[in-house]
Each structure stands twice: as structure tokens, then as C-alpha cells.
Amino acid sequence: MAFAQDKWPSKPVKIIVAFTAGGTTDLLARAVAQKIGEKLGQSFIIDNKPGGGGNIGTEFVVRSPADGYTLIVNSVGPISVNQSLYKNMNYDPLIDLVPIVQIADVPNVLVVPPNVPAKTFEEFVAYVKANPGKLSYGSTGVGTSSHLSSYMLTQRIGGDTLHVPYKGANALNDLLAGRLQFMFATIPSVISHIKAGKLRALAVSSEKPSRSLPGVPTVAEKGFPGFAAGSWFGFFGPKGTPPQIIAQLNKAVNDALPTLEDQMIREGADPAGGTPEQFGQFARKEFVKWQKIVKDSGATVD
């Protein structure tokens, strides 16, 4: 067994993405997979298994052999939110998966279409307060980061807004068409529309400003201290994955991230990296944070 571990990877490695192709998780996974494949001399193949808010692909990896040949690039939802959101999960991702390395932080950005008069975050707050019950925001689904970020903000503002959940990119389409008044979206999903003037970026949800959107303030610095809600992405393996493989993959990803830094920032992600222990501690802290937010929002999924 030790000999087999020393030779890892001796065959192609499957990387599960629990969401559809073309989304933020998928794009980050493919970029990193190519680099680590070049470094380790083996193919790292992306296998999309979407559905159930990421639960289907995540459970597939939980049930897979812990031999380093089935891994997952996952995000905040399936790892730190869904346990509080879904009523019938028969596994615990914080126990049944082992953290390997964080790839990136991806803040959400508050965006509005041109037909919304607010041109600054301060004007947006005033706009929400002046239009109780009249404004709608979209999300990529109940309990997703885009939903809960907007819920958190409107609660802090004291506004009355309507949540309209969608599947996938349909929310963005309606926002671009002006049928929704605002939305928190991952930066990679909207950065091209912001640059083209089709959407206006008012604030980011991270604790620090995003390098991808210089000049766009954080919600926290604009009168809502402590506001932090965004997405993050990283590698996990099934519980029991050999420590040698975890260490080898962790090093390969950490070595690859600097070569991807410019591309990732340009596309809306802040490279992360770090140790497995740091990533695990971070994911558990995120679970505690989102558990309260989900409970307060009343969001549940059968």
C-alpha cells in the first residue's frame, strides 16, 4: 500500500464537480486540473455531476474509494451550508470528506441593472428603504450564497424585498433584462457584464476589497461592519485518503496557483492556497456562520 501511495498518481485522476459545466466551480477546477496534471505527469479529468445543490456529486465522492483517484473540487454550499438547509442528508461533508487545499476565495458582488437608479451603495440602501415590498432579487436557488447574501443585507438594511429563486443562470438573464432589481452574484459570473456596462457593481461581500474589481467597496466598510458572505472553492477527498497523497496534491496546487494568479484575478477569483489544516478550520468556521444565517432566514429544502 505504501508503495502504491508513493507512485500516486499512476493513472488518471477523476475530479468531480458537483455543478454544471461552465460555472465558477467548473472553471476553477479545470484551470487547476490542467496545471497539476502537467506537474504530476498524469491526467486530471473533470466529471460534472450536478444536482441537489451540489449534494449528488458530493455524496458520490463520499462513497468513493479513498485511494486518491476520485476527488472533488467543491464550494461553500455543499460543504458548509447544505447541512443546515437540507432536511435529509445522510452524510456529513465535514466528517466524511477530508480537506486538501483551498483554491480561491470568490466574493459575491452586489449588482443592479441600468434601469435601477442607484449608482452607489449608499443610494442603493436608500432605494431599498424607499420601496418596501416593491423590489425583487434573484438567486441561483434557495439557500445558496447568492440568496443568503441578499437576505443578510436586506435584514441589515431593514428593507422588505422579494426573493425569486432560479435554477442556474436564469436569474442573471432576468437581471440583465431588468426584471429583477438586484442580485448578489459570484464575480466570475458577472464580471464581463460589469465591464460591458450591462450591470453596475455597487459593493462586494468579502471582508477585503476584491482585486478583480478595484474601486468597488465592501459592504462592511459602507456601514455594515462584520458583513462577510461569499463563495470559496477547494479540493476534498473521501475520508481516509492517505496523508501522503493529500500532501502531494496540496503541494502541487500551492505550486500551481501563482502561475494562475493573473488569470484568476482577471476572471473574478482571489487565489488562496494554504495547508489542509487551515482549509479544514476555515470550512468549519463557515459552517457555524452559515448555520445561523440559514436558521434565521427560514430557508429549507426537502
Side-chain angles (χ1 to χ4, degrees):
M1 184 63 163
F3 177 80
Q5 290 172 17
D6 289 341
K7 292 295 184 180
W8 182 90
S10 60
K11 62 181 181 179
V13 177
K14 184 183 294 185
I15 300 176
I16 303 300
V17 170
F19 299 95
T20 54
T24 303
T25 314
D26 180 75
L27 294 174
L28 286 170
R30 290 180 188 276
V32 175
Q34 180 179 345
K35 291 293 184 181
I36 60 177
E38 294 168 359
K39 180 176 179 61
L40 296 176
Q42 193 54 259
S43 297
F44 283 72
I45 302 167
I46 304 299
D47 185 0
N48 298 88
K49 292 187 181 297
N55 290 341
I56 291 175
T58 303
E59 185 168 7
F60 178 85
V61 176
V62 166
R63 310 299 177 202
S64 296
D67 57 5
Y69 290 98
T70 302
L71 306 168
I72 188 166
V73 169
N74 222 331
S75 62
V76 57
I79 300 298
S80 296
V81 177
N82 286 2
Q83 295 176 78
S84 305
L85 182 67
Y86 285 78
K87 295 179 180 178
N88 299 306
M89 285 183 60
N90 54 4
Y91 66 95
D92 183 338
L94 292 175
I95 294 174
D96 297 323
L97 293 174
V98 58
I100 297 173
V101 62
Q102 187 177 355
I103 295 173
D105 281 308
V106 179
N108 289 331
V109 57
L110 175 65
V111 285
V112 298
N115 65 340
V116 168
K119 291 183 170 55
T120 66
F121 181 75
E122 292 87 347
E123 291 178 0
F124 174 78
V125 172
Y127 180 63
V128 171
K129 290 180 177 179
N131 291 276
K134 297 180 182 179
L135 307 182
S136 299
Y137 65 89
S139 78
T140 52
V142 173
T144 59
S145 178
S146 60
H147 167 211
L148 296 175
S149 297
S150 294
Y151 169 80
M152 287 171 60
L153 180 59
T154 53
Q155 288 294 108
R156 295 281 296 269
I157 291 173
D160 177 15
T161 59
L162 175 66
H163 172 222
V164 184
Y166 292 77
K167 289 186 177 180
N170 292 330
L172 180 56
N173 293 336
D174 272 5
L175 183 72
L176 288 164
R179 289 187 284 269
L180 297 168
Q181 284 69 57
F182 68 99
M183 181 176 173
F184 268 106
T186 58
I187 294 177
S189 69
V190 294
I191 193 167
S192 63
H193 299 300
I194 293 169
K195 291 179 177 178
K198 295 178 181 178
L199 292 173
R200 191 180 304 127
L202 301 183
V204 293
S205 66
S206 49
E207 295 178 358
K208 299 178 181 179
S210 170
R211 289 183 287 175
S212 303
L213 292 174
V216 178
T218 67
V219 173
E221 72 186 75
K222 287 295 183 177
F224 298 89
F227 189 98
S231 297
W232 47 261
F233 303 84
F235 270 95
F236 295 82
K239 181 175 66 176
T241 300
Q244 298 95 321
I245 292 175
I246 294 172
Q248 194 173 345
L249 182 58
N250 177 274
K251 184 179 187 306
V253 174
N254 276 299
D255 288 348
L257 287 177
T259 70
L260 292 167
E261 183 172 11
D262 290 344
Q263 174 188 338
M264 290 172 69
I265 292 172
R266 187 170 59 248
E267 295 175 354
D270 288 325
T275 67
E277 293 76 19
Q278 289 170 333
F279 190 26
Q281 291 168 5
F282 173 71
R284 287 189 289 274
K285 287 180 181 177
E286 285 285 281
F287 167 74
V288 172
K289 179 181 79 176
W290 287 109
Q291 184 181 43
K292 183 180 186 306
I293 296 167
V294 171
K295 181 179 179 180
D296 291 347
S297 74
T300 60
V301 178
D302 291 331

